[in-house]
Amino acid sequence: MTISSAGELLERSEPLAVLAERLDAAQRADRGTLVFLSGEAGIGKTALARAWSTSRPGISALWGACEALETPRPLGPLVDVAEQAAGELARLAAGDPSPAALVRALAIELRRRRTLVVLEDLHWADGATLDALRLLARRVEGVPTVVLATYRDDGLERTHPLRVLLGELPIAPSIVRLRLQPLSLAAVQQLAEERGIEPGNLYRRTRGNPFFVTEVLAAAERGGVVPETVRDAVLARAARLDAVGRRLLDMVAIVPPRAELWLVEAMADDELNSLESCLASGMLEDDGSTVGFRHEIARVAIENAVPPEVRVTLHRRALSALSAAADRRSDAARLAHHAEAAGDSEAVVRYARLAGERAAAMRAHREAAAQFARALRSGSGLPADQRASLFESRSYECYLTDQVEEAIAARREAVRLRHELHDPLRAGDGHRWLSLLAWMAGDNHSAQAEARRAVELLEREPAGPELATAYSNLAVMRLFAYDISGTLELGARAIELADRVGELRALTDALMTVDTAELMAGSPAAGARLQRALELALEAGLEEQVARARTNLGLTALAVRDYKLADRQLAACVEYCSERDLGTWPLYIAGWRARSQLEQGHWDAAAELATTVLEHPRIAAPFRITALVVIGRLRARRGDPDVWASLDEALELARNAGELELAPVAAARAEARWLGGETAAIADETDAAVACARAHADTWIRGELLVWRRRAGIDEVVEPTAVAAPFAHELGGDYRAAAALWEGIGCPYEAAIARAGSPDARTARAGLAALQELGARRAAARVARTLRHRGIRDLQLGPRKATSHNPAGLTARELDVLALIAEGLRNSEIAARLFLSEKTVDHHVSSVLRKLGVSSRTKAATEATRLSIPTHSQR
């Protein structure tokens, strides 16, 4: 890293001051901070971290780094930290800890000792490390330290797991983001003068990148030619060493990120004699036990310059030395890397399988899937049963990480092999898996067919756990098809068989499915089985079944508009899932929480939750439906653009996911048609859903559909007991009673719409005013037109919701967007800064302009200043 003549980092005083201030606060008030330090490769993140970590006498630092491997070690940087901390934390890390367990132990350790934590190169982080970081972000405020996490942000794609994580993190005082900028021309000039190199040319070539500048200054002779690229500069510097020294560099380069001294000694002939000259040249550095390059850029430049035949030989030496000395399970990922580079297929299969199993145990599921894929690439000659087992393992790990298409492809290969092996139990179970995966991909037709195929195969064999699970799965599929009687019959079979053979997963799943079907059928027994399923799952430690049971408890409450209970249950479930790293369960629940917030009139919160779901790059297709409906309804009510983009996607997904999803989508589309004055289209939008709704006893969804049809002028005979009470009152003409019930339930929009339909002018005006207060501009305009048509005059727009600090009622995310608009950033630049998609930024910008009542970005910035709305830098 570039330093000044005084030995200090150039142009880094500001980020160092922020880190110092955060450390002071942590030591003074026991309030920790997680700082994300980003910048391009070579910008000086490590140098800054070192300068900061050594600036406080008496405070030590624990360092961990992610590895530049195709498939990195699970929890690699946290394991590094644990090993340095020693004691109980190190003992835990030596096993196969979950991210949650390791973070809990780390938090205890950090409360006990005065130390900093540095986690480097998170752009290479495995999935388990990112899960741990999510948990750490929630716990760090209660830990008296600062955790500094560095990553490269150049080339970080929108779908990169780290980018997704950064976008999910809340805006909170305990989370800080810093970005390092290149050196200025003045700084480069200060450094260039001592070497007699023309500063302008140096600055143009290096663009102020500190590592590039340093390498050029080290490689170029006084007054010499400036290398064109950083690679050229690194290779020119290496060329000054003798042949033995260059061979040592090659050796260290193929062992990322750093090579243990004992490993170098085991791999070397006479090359170790050149270690001192390599250290003196600045190409390598050592920390007493390992040796490595000062920067990954230099390591990669040297590695890529190693001739292929030499590279293979070196990897073979590394594999031989590591396999003789290592704990093969804990070092399996590293051994698999060298085995693959050495072309040793047998070793690849052996170590990649071990690495996959360990990664799965540590919940690094994406890395586990990659290791099983690596084993399959090199294991074409394996026996069929072993290949089938590897395909099954890969499919399961892909399923856990929402790589649905990859999971389907692997499972199909496994099923094909199981059929060839005449293994009906595993083949049948494979078809059951294909059913679930097809449904997740939005292909309900294939899901139903695969579920039936699984049962047909397994019913030919002695009844066992596989058949119980297949019955349970087919029951769920029939529920998606609104086949209540079929669901109850198959669910009963699953419960009886699962109970008999002791298959607890199938038993708990079937109990939950039957309970849902009974609720839809209006059975008084609904609820009892769900509670039993939860108790069984908790007792057996079946985390995914616990999550499903708790989610269902929340959704059952939401279905009958018991929002207090629903919100409490869903929030508790999110907490449970987050603490146990249960994949995308929190995202699935976020969609339902968004619906709850929408119905309670908390529209900004609903939009934030729904956007979180839709921003996730790999969420299963059916899980998008509820979030799309929330966004579509919000846009329709507020008069925002792109109403039908959301609702059309929701309809397509619902048709593919099964009839169960059609009713809420149809209700949303009916509302949007009504708001747009297209009442003639409401019958077509709702006919199919009404037919399904009549087949079960959900009085809420049936009532919603029938009320929208009545508002469109479709006159149908409806028994009051066939729909929930608020709908029954409106259908019976008692609008004030309907509105009163909606208010008591906690649904202000529905109460306003009911009042607005009243023939009493005073009641209707109150409904219009409530819509205006909610910010439902299109709904208010639609009602106003109707009231004017009825002869009611003097209708005015009502006030917007506001606060003294935020007169426009902007959300936290909209305030961030507004601040960046004021800085003159384009939508693409805002998206990159906030880790959002451009489409989402477009939505936020439209909302900001609408709430501020302006038509351009320039006017938005001016209006924000006039209203004294706080910008990002002021908050």
Side-chain angles (χ1 to χ4, degrees):
M1 174 61 197
T2 305
I3 58 175
S4 70
S5 57
E8 296 178 353
L9 297 179
L10 283 174
E11 300 184 336
R12 296 296 183 252
S13 58
E14 191 171 318
L16 284 169
V18 172
L19 289 169
E21 185 274 327
R22 289 290 168 167
L23 184 55
D24 287 340
Q27 298 290 313
R28 183 177 62 252
D30 287 350
R31 296 175 65 87
T33 304
L34 174 58
V35 178
F36 288 97
L37 180 66
S38 65
E40 65 186 51
I43 202 67
K45 300 179 289 294
T46 298
L48 184 81
R50 286 175 177 167
W52 169 65
S53 67
T54 57
S55 62
R56 296 294 182 92
I59 299 181
S60 61
L62 299 173
W63 285 69
C66 302
E67 298 170 337
L69 300 177
E70 180 182 340
T71 309
R73 291 179 301 152
L75 294 171
L78 291 170
V79 170
D80 291 344
V81 166
E83 289 173 349
Q84 293 166 46
E88 185 58 35
L89 186 58
R91 283 191 291 275
L92 176 66
D96 294 336
S98 70
L102 201 53
V103 169
R104 281 195 296 270
L106 177 61
I108 293 171
E109 181 70 18
L110 294 177
R111 292 189 190 99
R112 189 182 64 81
R113 62 159 71 191
R114 288 167 57 84
T115 187
L116 313 172
V117 177
V118 180
L119 304 175
E120 288 199 281
D121 298 326
L122 289 177
H123 48 281
W124 290 320
D126 62 284
T129 295
L130 294 180
D131 286 338
L133 209 58
R134 284 185 177 88
L135 298 172
L136 192 58
R138 298 168 60 195
R139 291 177 177 268
V140 72
E141 190 171 8
V143 178
T145 191
V146 175
V147 178
L148 178 61
T150 74
Y151 67 94
R152 293 185 192 173
D153 59 4
D154 49 335
L156 202 65
E157 297 178 354
R158 188 181 69 83
T159 56
H160 191 286
L162 175 59
R163 191 178 179 96
V164 173
L165 165 66
L166 292 168
E168 291 173 353
L169 292 178
I171 299 170
S174 59
I175 298 174
V176 172
R177 291 175 169 88
L178 299 175
R179 188 176 192 278
L180 297 184
Q181 301 297 327
L183 298 176
S184 67
L185 174 58
V188 173
Q189 185 172 7
Q190 179 181 339
L191 294 162
E193 285 175 347
E194 297 178 1
R195 300 302 300 270
I197 294 177
E198 200 281 309
N201 187 31
L202 177 60
Y203 182 74
R204 284 190 296 273
R205 292 281 173 84
T206 63
R207 297 184 179 182
N209 180 282
F211 179 77
F212 195 176
V213 171
T214 302
E215 288 302 303
V216 168
L217 293 175
E221 297 293 341
R222 185 173 184 87
V225 176
V226 176
E228 289 286 343
T229 67
V230 68
R231 176 181 178 275
D232 293 337
V234 170
L235 295 179
R237 189 174 185 179
R240 294 185 176 181
L241 294 168
D242 61 21
V244 179
R246 290 196 298 273
R247 288 203 304 271
L248 180 62
L249 292 185
D250 293 346
M251 198 173 296
V252 175
I254 64 102
V255 185
R258 300 177 66 85
E260 296 88 339
L261 287 171
W262 69 260
L263 177 58
V264 176
E265 186 175 6
M267 293 172 63
D269 291 327
D270 59 347
E271 290 89 354
L272 201 59
N273 295 328
S274 293
L275 178 57
E276 188 174 341
S277 62
C278 289
L279 294 172
S281 73
M283 289 296 298
L284 296 180
E285 59 183 9
D286 80 300
D287 59 10
S289 60
T290 66
V291 62
F293 289 85
R294 293 187 309 109
H295 199 285
E296 179 65 10
I297 295 174
R299 189 198 67 79
V300 171
I302 297 297
E303 182 185 29
N304 289 341
V306 178
E309 66 279 6
V310 175
R311 193 180 308 159
V312 169
T313 299
L314 292 174
H315 279 291
R316 285 175 180 167
R317 290 186 190 178
L319 176 62
S320 175
L322 286 167
S323 61
D327 173 351
R328 296 185 184 186
R329 179 169 171 77
S330 63
D331 243 6
R334 193 178 183 191
L335 286 160
H337 166 75
H338 289 294
E340 190 167 46
D344 189 336
S345 296
E346 183 180 342
V348 171
V349 172
R350 180 166 64 254
Y351 293 126
R353 194 201 310 258
L354 270 176
E357 291 168 354
R358 184 162 197 257
M362 297 174 74
R363 305 196 182 195
H365 298 297
R366 189 174 298 276
E367 284 64 43
Q371 292 290 7
F372 291 132
R374 172 182 267 165
L376 284 163
R377 286 196 302 270
S378 295
S380 57
L382 287 173
D385 63 332
Q386 292 186 35
R387 282 185 64 76
S389 178
L390 280 171
F391 275 121
E392 287 162 352
S393 295
R394 170 162 168 76
S395 179
Y396 181 65
E397 298 302 320
C398 287
Y399 153 74
L400 290 176
T401 51
D402 298 304
Q403 301 176 77
V404 178
E405 294 303 322
E406 295 91 336
I408 290 173
R411 188 65 63 172
R412 281 178 178 157
E413 280 300 303
V415 168
R416 180 184 64 79
L417 289 167
R418 293 301 181 191
H419 279 295
E420 289 180 1
L421 290 163
H422 305 290
D423 186 347
L425 289 180
R426 288 189 175 88
D429 194 55
H431 284 289
R432 190 263 307 175
W433 267 110
L434 284 172
S435 168
L436 172 61
L437 293 168
W439 182 82
M440 291 180 68
D443 183 0
N444 185 58
H445 177 76
S446 295
Q448 300 286 342
E450 292 288 358
R452 289 191 295 269
R453 177 68 172 144
V455 169
E456 289 167 4
L457 280 172
L458 292 168
E459 282 185 332
R460 300 171 191 168
E461 305 301 317
E466 295 85 359
L467 180 58
T469 306
Y471 280 148
S472 178
N473 178 69
L474 184 53
V476 171
M477 294 303 155
R478 296 319 300 156
L479 182 66
F480 292 151
Y482 254 152
D483 178 6
I484 305 300
S485 62
T487 300
L488 293 173
E489 178 189 348
L490 287 159
R493 285 195 222 171
I495 290 170
E496 186 279 326
L497 179 55
D499 202 15
R500 177 153 49 91
V501 301
E503 176 48 55
L504 282 178
R505 283 185 174 82
L507 177 59
T508 54
D509 283 340
L511 286 168
M512 287 183 272
T513 301
V514 168
D515 192 89
T516 302
E518 286 180 336
L519 176 69
M520 295 169 67
S523 169
R529 286 187 175 86
L530 181 55
Q531 192 60 43
R532 183 189 170 201
L534 176 58
E535 291 168 0
L536 285 171
L538 284 168
E539 184 179 342
L542 303 176
E543 293 179 348
E544 192 162 341
Q545 279 68 29
V546 171
R548 185 184 173 198
R550 287 185 165 171
T551 301
N552 282 5
L553 285 169
L555 299 189
T556 299
L558 183 59
V560 296
R561 274 49 171 193
D562 185 346
Y563 298 112
K564 185 176 181 180
L565 177 59
D567 289 346
R568 186 170 68 248
Q569 292 282 10
L570 294 176
C573 192
V574 168
E575 182 76 16
Y576 178 87
C577 295
S578 298
E579 287 291 337
R580 289 160 180 80
D581 320 308
L582 293 184
T584 53
W585 269 101
L587 276 174
Y588 171 61
I589 296 168
W592 293 105
R593 294 177 75 192
R595 176 187 145 178
S596 177
Q597 295 302 303
L598 173 76
E599 292 175 0
Q600 294 179 76
H602 309 313
W603 289 1
D604 289 337
E608 292 279 345
L609 285 164
T611 300
T612 297
V613 177
L614 299 177
E615 278 294 307
H616 196 278
R618 286 187 175 270
I619 189 83
F623 296 170
R624 293 174 57 86
I625 295 172
T626 302
L628 287 165
V629 165
V630 168
I631 291 296
R633 289 192 121 157
L634 271 174
R635 289 175 177 173
R637 293 172 185 181
R638 288 171 159 174
D640 290 342
D642 294 329
V643 172
W644 292 104
S646 298
L647 295 180
D648 286 346
E649 183 184 349
L651 180 60
E652 182 181 358
L653 291 175
R655 284 171 173 165
N656 291 331
E659 288 85 347
L660 186 63
E661 303 287 351
L662 282 174
V665 176
R669 293 175 67 86
E671 179 185 357
R673 295 292 187 193
W674 183 82
L675 290 171
E678 303 173 71
T679 53
I682 290 178
D684 289 340
E685 294 284 6
T686 56
D687 281 344
V690 167
C692 290
R694 292 186 194 279
H696 69 85
D698 187 338
T699 58
W700 290 93
I701 190 61
R702 185 189 299 157
E704 185 175 15
L705 288 166
L706 292 174
V707 160
W708 283 116
R709 288 166 70 88
R710 177 66 60 84
R711 290 168 182 164
I714 303 171
D715 196 9
E716 299 165 296
V717 177
V718 180
E719 290 293 328
T721 57
V723 297
F727 300 118
H729 281 297
E730 180 169 346
L731 290 169
D734 192 344
Y735 295 90
R736 279 193 287 188
L741 283 174
W742 282 123
E743 281 188 343
I745 291 168
C747 298
Y749 178 79
E750 285 73 11
I753 289 290
R755 278 201 176 87
S758 172
D760 176 68
R762 184 175 179 180
T763 302
R765 285 178 184 274
L768 175 60
L771 291 173
Q772 293 165 341
E773 182 68 19
L774 280 168
R777 295 203 307 172
R778 181 172 291 173
R782 172 72 165 83
V783 167
R785 285 196 302 272
T786 301
L787 296 183
R788 290 191 186 101
H789 183 72
R790 287 167 45 187
I792 301 175
R793 297 288 182 263
D794 300 325
L795 302 174
Q796 298 178 356
L797 290 177
R800 297 173 186 265
K801 295 175 71 175
T803 70
S804 60
H805 297 293
N806 185 3
L810 300 179
T811 67
R813 181 64 80 190
E814 287 166 352
L815 287 169
D816 288 336
V817 170
L818 178 57
L820 297 178
I821 289 174
E823 289 182 21
L825 271 65
R826 299 187 301 273
N827 284 9
S828 60
E829 295 169 321
I830 295 173
R833 185 79 66 86
L834 298 179
F835 300 97
L836 300 172
S837 71
E838 283 193 54
K839 187 174 182 180
T840 298
V841 171
D842 290 342
H843 169 67
H844 285 312
V845 169
S846 297
S847 183
V848 167
L849 296 181
R850 174 178 53 77
K851 288 183 178 182
L852 291 175
V854 297
S855 58
S856 72
R857 301 162 76 92
T858 302
K859 291 178 180 177
T862 302
E863 185 69 2
T865 301
R866 187 184 71 81
L867 295 174
S868 300
I869 295 175
T871 63
H872 184 75
S873 61
Q874 297 169 314
R875 289 186 292 127

